Amino acid sequence: MEAFADEGINEIAAMCSAQSAKTLTILCCLMWAICEDPGPILWVTSDKQEAVKLVKGRIIPMMERCDPVWKRIPKERGKFNTLEIYFPGAPLIITGAKSPASLQSTPFRYILLDEVRSYPPGALEMVEKRTRSFPHNYKKIIISTPDMENDALHAAFMKGDQRHFLAQLPCGHEQELDWKDKNDKGGLKWDSIRNEHGRDLDKIKTTVRYQCEECGAVQAPTLLTRKFISSHGRWEKRNPNAPSNCASFTWGALLPWWTDWGAQVVEYLSALQRLDWGDHEPLKSFTNETQGRVWTDLLRYLKHDKYLRARELDFDTRGKWPLEQKRFATIDVQAAGGRHYYLVIRAWGTGGVSRLLHVEKIGPGVESYANVLLTCEAWGVAKQDIIFDVGTFQSELFQQIMEAGSLPNGDYAMKAMWGDDRPYFLVNGQRHLWTVAPTDPYLGRKGQGFVRPINVILWSKPSLQDRLAFFMHGLGETDWRIPPWIDNDYRKQVTAWDRREFTDNYGRRRTEWYCPKGRPDHYYSCELMQVVAASARGLLSTPREGGPLFEHAAQLVETTDV
Ligand SMILES: [Zn+2]
C-alpha cells in the first residue's frame, strides 16, 4: 500500500500465497485512490459473475465502512450501478476478464487486477494497454497466487524490484521464512510421529515450529509469536536492474499470522504421498497456493548440477551397513561397439534409505555376460535380486533368464524390467508406479506357449523419474547416497535427464522429462530400476525402525506396492 501511494511507482506486482488478504489489500488501495488521488479506475476479476459477487460482498460493504468514500458516493440516478459507480473524478468500473469489450473501452488511470491466473489467455496483455492516456501517473496493481514459471504474473514479478520479506524472529535475527531442507539448520520443522495406521498427522501438527537459521532458536507458533514475526521485518529488493517505477513483492503462507503452520505441514506430507501415486497436482497446489511460488521453482532447482554433491557420503561400501535389508543389481544392456553392460549395485534399507555400492561398465567381450553374474556374486547380490532392462535384446535376455534357473516356487530367479511411458498403471482401480506383465519368452517364435511366462515388471518411466529426482535431491525424508569417489561417467549419466517446459495441444504450459539426444543415460536407467525394485520389495512402504533422522521416510513413499 505504501508503494501504491508512492508517486514514483506505476506498476506493482504481488505474487503470494492464498489467504494472504490479497483482495483486502486492493480494496484498501481502491478506497485510498477514490478519496486521495481520484482518476478513472478499472477493477478486473476473473469473470462477470465474480465481479458482481465482489461488488456486493466486498466493495460495497467496505465503502459503507469507509466514511470519506461513502460521502463521495454519487446520489444521482444512473450513476450508481452494480458494476459502474461514478465517483466525482473517479469512475469505477468492475469487470470480468472474459468480457473483452469492456477491457478495450475507456482509458483508465488505475488498473486493479485480481487473481490474474484465472484470466483467459491474452486478457492481461489487452487490459494493460488501457493506461496509455496516463503515461506518467498511471497505477497498475496485480496481485495473485502464482501458477507457472514465465506466465504473466511471474513475468510482472520478475520485471519489478522483487522484494522479499525478511521477517525478524523474536531472537532478533532477520530471514525470509522458508521451509528449507529437513537436515538444514533453520526453517519449518516438525517431528515425524507414526501410529499403527501410518503417519499420525494430528500429533505431527502439534510439533510444528520455526527454527532460526542463524542461531537455531526455535519458535512455537503461538499467536503472540506469529504476530510478532509478521509485523517485524523489512522488504529486501533483490532485483537491482528493475525499472525504478516497478515494484514487486512475494511471500508465502508462513508469513501472515492467521495461517495455520500445522495445516500446511499436513498439506505438504499429503502432497508428497500423492506424488507417489504419480499425481503432481497436490504438490503443485501446495507450491502455488501455500508457498506462493511458481510451480517450476522446484524444477529449476532440479537443473543446477551441484545437487549430486549433497548426496555424497563417505561410507565403507564393503563394510556392513546395519540398515541394509536388500541389495539389488540393475543392468542396462548396450550393443554399440560390442555387447556390454552397465551395472549398478545398491543397498536399501526400509523407508527410502539407500547406498550405492558399485557401478561398472562391463564389456564388450565374449566373457561380458559371465562377468556381470560373477560381479553380482562377488558383491553378494542374490540371483533373485539381479534385474535386467529387457527394453532391448529381449529374446536374448529372456533366454539368459530362463537358463539362470528358477526359485523353489518355480518362478525364474533373475528379473526382467521394462520402462513404459504411461504415467501410472491402474491395478484394481488404484494408481501404481509399476505392474507385472506375464510374458511368454518365446512369443511369436517356435516354443510359444510351452514354458512358464516371465513376469516382466512394467514401470512408469515419468513417475519413476519424478521419484528418483526426489531421492537425488534429498527431498522429503529420503536418504539416498553415493560414495564421494564415484566416477564422472556415472555422475554425467545420472544427471542426463532434466525437466523442460512445452505447450500442449490445448495451449497449456506443461513440463516433461527430457534428455538431449545422444547423451548417454545408462546408469540413470539402472538407478530408476533400483527404485522400482525397492518399491516392488516393499522397502519404500515400510518405515525405518529406530533411526533418528529418517525413521519416517516412508511418509514420502507409502503404499505403492501392488
Ligand atoms: Zn536467531
Side-chain angles (χ1 to χ4, degrees), residues 377-548:
E377 197 184 327
W379 277 94
V381 182
K383 209 170 230 179
Q384 60 265 34
D385 296 322
I386 299 175
I387 300 146
F388 286 89
D389 178 354
V390 297
T392 46
F393 314 111
Q394 198 172 82
S395 53
E396 172 188 313
L397 288 164
F398 280 169
Q399 192 64 40
Q400 286 164 342
I401 287 170
M402 287 189 288
E403 284 167 6
S406 302
L407 299 171
N409 68 3
D411 283 342
Y412 300 110
M414 295 196 312
K415 301 290 184 296
M417 277 192 193
W418 189 337
D420 189 288
D421 287 332
R422 276 172 279 184
Y424 54 85
F425 302 96
L426 277 180
V427 180
N428 300 327
Q430 291 197 311
R431 293 178 174 198
H432 288 272
L433 299 182
W434 53 272
T435 190
V436 175
T439 306
D440 189 324
Y442 290 112
L443 191 69
R445 293 185 297 149
K446 200 177 158 201
Q448 181 178 341
F450 290 98
V451 296
R452 194 180 177 95
I454 291 178
N455 287 323
V456 176
I457 299 171
L458 278 184
W459 51 277
S460 158
K461 206 169 170 189
S463 291
L464 263 301
Q465 289 184 290
D466 289 345
R467 169 52 49 80
L468 181 59
F470 265 63
F471 280 121
M472 286 172 54
H473 290 81
L475 299 179
E477 308 204 16
T478 61
D479 189 31
W480 182 98
R481 295 294 185 173
I482 60 170
W485 41 258
I486 202 81
D487 66 38
N488 267 332
D489 216 22
Y490 171 87
R491 288 174 194 270
K492 274 190 198 144
Q493 292 195 17
V494 294
T495 54
W497 286 74
D498 219 341
R499 298 288 289 189
R500 75 166 177 189
E501 268 188 59
F502 69 105
T503 305
D504 71 11
N505 295 337
Y506 302 97
R508 287 180 303 223
R509 296 176 74 109
R510 296 177 50 187
T511 59
E512 64 181 356
W513 284 100
Y514 166 78
C515 178
K517 214 175 166 75
R519 186 163 168 187
D521 66 342
H522 313 301
Y523 287 132
Y524 181 73
S525 298
C526 292
E527 289 289 16
L528 288 171
M529 291 194 290
Q530 286 280 338
V531 182
V532 181
S535 173
R537 288 302 178 87
L539 295 169
L540 303 186
S541 58
T542 324
R544 191 186 118 196
E545 295 295 328

Side-chain angles (χ1 to χ4, degrees), residues 169-175 211-219:
L169 300 179
C171 58
H173 294 116
E174 275 185 346
Q175 57 211 261
Q211 187 185 40
C212 172
E213 64 184 23
E214 295 261 343
C215 71
V218 165
Q219 309 295 341

